[in-house]
Amino acid sequence: MNDMTPTREQREAKLEGMGCKRKRVEDIRFTQGKGNYVDDLKLPGMLHGDFVRSPHAHARVKSINSEEALKVPGVLAVITAETLKTVNLAWMPTLAGDVQMVLADGKVLFQNQEVAFVVATDRYAADDGINKVVVEYEPLPVVIDPFKAMDPDAPVLREDPAGKTSGAHGPRKHHNHVFEWTIGDKDLTDAAFKKADVTIKEMLSYHRTHPSPLETCQCVCSFDKIRGELSIWGTFQAPHVIRTVVALIAKIPEHKIHVISPDIGGGFGNKVGAYPGYICAAVASIVTGKPVKWVEDRIENLTATSFARDYHMTTEIAATKEGKVTGLRVHVLADHGAFDACADPSKWPAGFFNIVTGSYDFPTAHVAVDGIYTNKAPGGVAYRCSFRVTEAAYCIERGMDILAQKLGMDPAELRLKNFIKPEQFPYHSALGWEYDSGDYHTAMKKMMESVDYAGLRKEQAAQREAFKRGETREIMGLGVSFFTEIVGAGPSKNCDILGIAMFDSCEIRMHPTGAGIARVGSKSQGQGHETTWAQIIATEIGIPADDIMVEEGNTDTAPYGLGTYGSRSTPVAGAAIAMAARKIKAKAQMIAAYKLEVHEGDLEWDIDGFRVKGLPEKTMSMKDICWAAYNSVPPGMEPGLEAVSYYDPPNMTYPFGAYICVMNIDVDTGVYRIRRFYALDDCGTRINPMIIEGQVHGGLTEAFAIAMGQEIRYDDEGNVVTGSFMDFFMPTAVETPHWETDFTVTPSPHHPIGAKGVGESPNVGGVPAFSNAVNDAFSFLGSTHIQMPHDYWRNWRAAKELGVFAA
Amino acid sequence: MIPGPFSYHRPASVADAVKLLSTLGDEARPLAGGHSLVPMMKLRLATPEHLVDLHGIAGLKGIRRDGHKIVIGAMTTQHELLASDEIRQSLPILHETALLIADPQVRYRGTIGGNVANGDPGNDMPALMLVLGAFYRLEGPGGGRDIAASDFYQGAYFTALEPGEILTSISIPAGAAGHGYAYEKLKRKVGDYATAAAAVVLTMAGGKVATCAIGLTNLHETPLLATDAAKAVIGTSLDDATLGKAAAAAVAIMAPAADARGPVEYRKHVGGIMVTRALTRAAARAS
């Protein structure tokens, strides 16, 4: 035996397959400033477009005068709704079945709405031109408070659906009503509440916030008049969907549209939908015959492109006096702003909000969601969450804490008492989902032991006594959150976007020397797909991950996919990758059998190749099989080694986790101190533990921001008062707490590699943990619920209202 | 976020800068670190036709001792203040405060002259200048003059600077031996202006406060010297009752605006707390 023969461990390590903390291959370029983003693109003769935006939240547009703007050196065109009407593009469809003005058509409905598009030879000239466009407005009364939107005398916001008593999702009951969506058994639920020993009812607001990726939304459109082809480089989380939308609304044949998403600097849901900037840049390019770039600035991104949340959830839970939940009833007032531009699967106007029964065995539940229009920016998108799942998780996790408080029970104990038991999976929830797998008790107990939960509760009791004696001005809170996510949209039986089923896809092509390329329908915005997708293939076909190039985002080369959002990439595209790799492996096995002169069934897989059963020295490596695929395939077999898979998942996946936040609050200033944050995630099979940890850190940081101060806030006139990073809370490394991460592994039974997705779990589970910590801190002073965000002055206000400063 | 057109000038002497500013008139603005002016220009809230960059002028930078005074050139950056042993030893409160201004990137570029001359109530250094009894050297078309920091601030972004004048240096009496100091700043995050901040410099004798000055940041349209609050603590050992009185006296002169940092009542409330905390910490440092 040659000593140089690698051991099995060495062969396995060389693959850097699933389970390996492989370093991110994309970071080589990102950390050196060599990424290639949309704004890096410079085409010959490229023009720049920028918007005239409305200073008013609601106003009639009396006139738009572009005369002076067109005299500005470098300004070539000013596009208005009237221009767009000539090509039937003044309005565009939203993903939620509504329509949205591309440019103000007769009126404006939110501050910073797009009114005119100025096209110039450079950005400076475009901005100079903007300042010379004269728009005459007639201000109208505004609707900002969602609870007043459906008052009988509320101003009419949208005039286009006047007289229409039904919209894309059924009947409308008011001129500012978008839809009502209900699910569950109302009668059974009402009966459960009648019989209940204990009930709670609380209006839980999840305030409006924004995904705020560091790279804003942007595009370059280039129309080639000779070929009749339109190329669009953009910050698109779902490039194929954009191509189809453009084909449908611009009437350009889909094969003549090239959509390319280059490197993307964060998306978090903000880059799923279509924005007026894309349409205007495309029209401007068609009109001028030159490439046109549109790049949002920070203020525009925060104030005009899709927000998230703004869900106001009246939450009721029924329970026995022993603490067994018997019913859940939720009514949601959903503020969609001026246009319903939610990026949900088409049939789900409230996303997957019906995951709101959470991790608990509710015998019955009923949910009603009323979508309404207000004079705010349109949306809302899923900000690092599967559709409306963060809202649902907040609703149930705050609700359970409030119930625990009413029952005088420990919130962790209440959860343990009501968890769906391991033997109940697959579990059919009262609101219609089939939870694929879970082991909640193990995760919860591991969390409680890891942080010494009992010890923390003792410390809290002592701290409260010290506070009452006047020895400290700090109060202590423990925020428990146990979330169940629903991700991986999704099965064609219940998920589509504009009629396209939400499958995903992968094409793998192996080259003769044993390297290969995988093209995938998903699109990384920082998630590290180039690293992890190669790891799946490495384990599946025994080729080192380093020898697999992953390519995404070019609609001409990538197979059709529905893009990356809603933690769907690993559950759907990840499955497609594994299935394509298995097709490669199946063909490879036939080639190996031919070359080794045995029957296929006599071969077995061994890390990086096949060996003959019982003859371990008779092997053929995958690398050698790749070579053979190009010169000596079995008679009758086509040469080459490539495969395509389109994967329609049989079910969603259901990641879960147990989080706890330990927080102290100084009642005099409202300043909080996050003492500890422990996050246990179960995302099934773990492809790259380092990337998972990074995803969890990032999502927790967003959750921290959202719960503790990040909001899009409007004043009474509809002016956005949080339009920059000075006032919109974007924590830096200094403010961000230390994160402790942990895990359990409960593989998905229906996913080819058992993975469930993780990117969004920490945002979903983190927010209730923070909010529960604040609420738990104040609870002994007599408080039931304090609305988010929990920034310093609001904490002080809560303390003040609870009489802390009375003495 | 794109500024309007402007001409750029880079004079080599104070005299040339003054001449440019007075010739070009209201449409010219001097440019120091640019951290206030450039963002305003990007929002087109400021649209100067001429920028007179002061970076080319030798002699506007540096920290030197002149007898009992420390003289700081207006173009000295916050980073250079932090790196200076002289500041650390003679005016340690400047060191403490500079560390609370934004982040390292801003401090590499932002200057003390720009910070004090702009009249922005959110800037941290002006309240310190009041507390320390600083004088500003102004050079203008009519020659030079010195003005007390306490006479400089007239309103938000309104100062005693006359057209064509440039603030060239700051002169500060070195801190008394054994003085105690503290700058307490409540802010929401790195890079934010103070929700409320208080600067205290005091000396102690026999366990009692001998001298004291208290300054307030971002609690009024100008920086404030809380004279009554300072008087209230002199001769006391800073017992709880005295601290309460001092805070109340300071709160009485505060008139902050309501903003995303909190309503007026909150900002005044925490302003009082910053005063008591700064007093307590300064006293503990005094010897």
Side-chain angles (χ1 to χ4, degrees), chain A residues 95 234-245 259 261 264 271-273 497 504 521-523 525 553 555 560-565 568:
Chain A
L95 295 177
T235 48
F236 309 130
Q237 291 182 231
H240 285 97
V241 176
I242 293 284
R243 188 184 70 191
T244 302
V245 169
V259 177
S261 293
I264 297 182
K271 295 170 178 168
V272 174
I497 287 183
D504 227 292
S522 51
K523 174 59 203 169
Q525 307 121 43
T555 55
Y560 203 106
L562 275 284
T564 292
Y565 43 86
R568 67 183 301 280

Side-chain angles (χ1 to χ4, degrees), chain B residues 31 79 92 103 105 118 141 145 148 150 160 173 185 187 204 215 218 256 262:
Chain B
L31 176 71
H79 172 74
D103 52 60
Q105 282 178 305
N118 198 36
R145 61 178 176 130
S150 53
K185 180 179 182 180
K187 56 180 176 178
M204 303 287 284
N218 217 16

